[in-house]
Amino acid sequence: MLTLARLSLSTLRFPLANLAKRTMSAKTIAVLDDSELTDGQMKEVSFESGKVLLSRLGDKVHATSAFCTHYGAPLSKGVLTADGRVVCPWHGACFNVCTGDIEDAPAPTAIHSFQTHIADGKIYVTADPANTTKDKMSRPPKLLASGAEVGGAGVVIVGGGSGAFHAVESLREHGFKGPITIISKEPHAPIDRTKLSKALITDASKLEWRTPADLKIKFGTTLRVNTTVTTVDTSAKTVTLDDGKETIPYDSLILASGGLPRRLPIDGSDFENVYTLRHVQDAQNIDAACQEGKHLVVIGSSFISMELVVAVSKRKLGSIHVIGMEQYPFELVLGKEVGAGLKQYHESQGIVFHGSTSVKAIRKTSDAATPTEVELSTGEVLPADVIIMGVGVRPATDYLKASGFELEKDGSVKVDEQLRVPGRADVFAIGDIATYPQLPTGSTRRVEHWNVAGNMGRAVGKTISGSPQPYVKVPVFWSAQGQQLRYCGIGQGYDDIYIKGNPTEMKFIAYYIQGGKVTAVASMQNDPVVSQASELLRLGLMPSAEEIKAGKNPLEVDISSAAASIRLQ
């Protein structure tokens, strides 16, 4: 009995000691005069060797980590809203300033929230100094559930991309207690796929948001890699794997199978030196092929194509030719003037464009040094050691067609405002395969943005957990084009563009207008205009096209103060 008593005391003593240690590590420091932080303002302040972000909403002062957990942007350079959101100035990630919780993708982890109080005209913050440094800017999510605490088939997610990753986090954050299974064709955990084209990173371990062990231990999620879903039976609530080798049940099914790169239906499109980019292995192949002196031909002037061009342009290739159907790159999305400005930049880096041109054929040559050539519709022939097709993706939904799903003309799955597939109980579709109603207009569209897939995953996770969540996010994307291009909104179908600045100098703001309303904004070197615009679009407070043309600055629209809070109610 004495031994048991000692064991019980020691068992209690160690948690108490750890608690005391944690309490002792926290410090309370005066970081700023109260008068220096006005209503609706953010300010980054020092905290010993670290940094803290202060945000004032009315008479309340909040303190959080100072950096975005996505790529480390200073949040003080972003946008604060009266409903408690801080938006990263770079890529649209968003956090709750009261709790530090994730509000929007692509934030992979939450930020710390610290206690504050005001005394003697000073703002005091209580925090562990170690948690205020940039390398400790993130904290584990507050999971209401961390594993399969109840039985049943649980949630099955088809696809291992951004949507899957964010769905898992959202499910557990909102208290889903059942099993979660991710079925992925890829050989690794969900990755930051944007870095494949933007930086040509070829090591999957440097791209994974969570390791398979983290998914299993922290999130109670089973990851099945190198596995293909071949059919779905929504009546029996089962999915069949690898042509019938196994059938597994589900209670809720999230279809997040992403896109498949297109190949042009031309002679030679299947040659071994013709590449597309979607997976890590594709990046490895392109990286190995694009060596000094080699001739590169890029078919398609898409964002992914041009990001790859930027990534390899310093490798001393023999030549880089880009072939596009439009006169200028990105013309359909950004317009002629912006496209012309970006084209001029790329030409200054030695890139040769062939606009308003198509490819007739890819042929073998008798020249061992340059094994293939590309014939254009103009008759011009380009030598090509390496050929990259960046001509878009199609929804990866062949397995759904085989399962009897009704698909849209482009092969996508139509969903409702909660991303449910009509007529298919407990089935959701997200990301590249989903055609959804974009609020506030309700017009349906499919958007292939990284942020959209992530935010859809978060919305569906909340819905399945018991709090139905309509998808209401404003699309955001970014692209590395010499300078960072940022974009928010839905510009498709614009009838006017108003540009402030000069695209040829890679410094501008472009407003895309439809029916007198600004529906999208793009910028370079004008942060945080796009972050502000995304919130103005969300809140229905975007200035009209007439106001913008008359000189109204979106950054001067108050969406942060107590007065703005009244307007938002």
Side-chain angles (χ1 to χ4, degrees), residues 119-174:
D120 301 323
K122 300 284 187 181
I123 299 173
Y124 288 83
V125 173
T126 300
D128 180 344
N131 289 336
T132 67
T133 59
K134 193 169 186 178
D135 61 339
K136 294 287 183 68
M137 59 192 171
S138 65
R139 65 160 171 80
K142 297 174 182 175
L143 303 181
L144 296 182
S146 58
E149 302 172 26
V150 298
V155 174
V156 172
I157 305 173
V158 180
S162 170
F165 163 68
H166 284 282
V168 167
E169 289 218 333
S170 180
L171 283 162
R172 295 305 188 207
E173 286 173 13
H174 293 101

Side-chain angles (χ1 to χ4, degrees), residues 187-223:
H188 45 69
I191 60 170
D192 185 351
R193 201 178 305 278
T194 65
K195 288 185 176 178
L196 294 181
S197 59
K198 291 175 171 63
L200 205 59
I201 293 176
T202 58
D203 183 348
S205 67
K206 296 179 180 178
L207 297 169
E208 286 179 334
W209 287 121
R210 294 282 186 275
T211 66
D214 275 347
L215 288 171
K216 186 66 176 178
I217 296 169
K218 296 179 182 178
F219 293 90
T221 296
T222 299
L223 172 64

Side-chain angles (χ1 to χ4, degrees), residues 317-376:
L317 299 180
S319 62
I320 302 177
H321 291 264
V322 176
I323 303 157
M325 294 287 288
E326 293 78 38
Q327 183 179 2
Y328 301 109
F330 323 121
E331 181 179 326
L332 291 180
V333 176
L334 301 178
K336 289 182 180 292
E337 188 172 347
V338 174
L342 297 179
K343 176 175 180 283
Q344 180 174 304
Y345 163 76
H346 286 293
E347 287 175 334
S348 74
Q349 304 302 302
I351 314 304
V352 179
F353 282 89
H354 304 265
S356 304
T357 305
S358 59
V359 175
K360 187 175 181 180
I362 301 169
R363 294 192 296 259
K364 299 282 189 182
T365 72
S366 57
D367 184 354
T370 306
T372 52
E373 60 187 17
V374 176
E375 182 181 358
L376 307 185

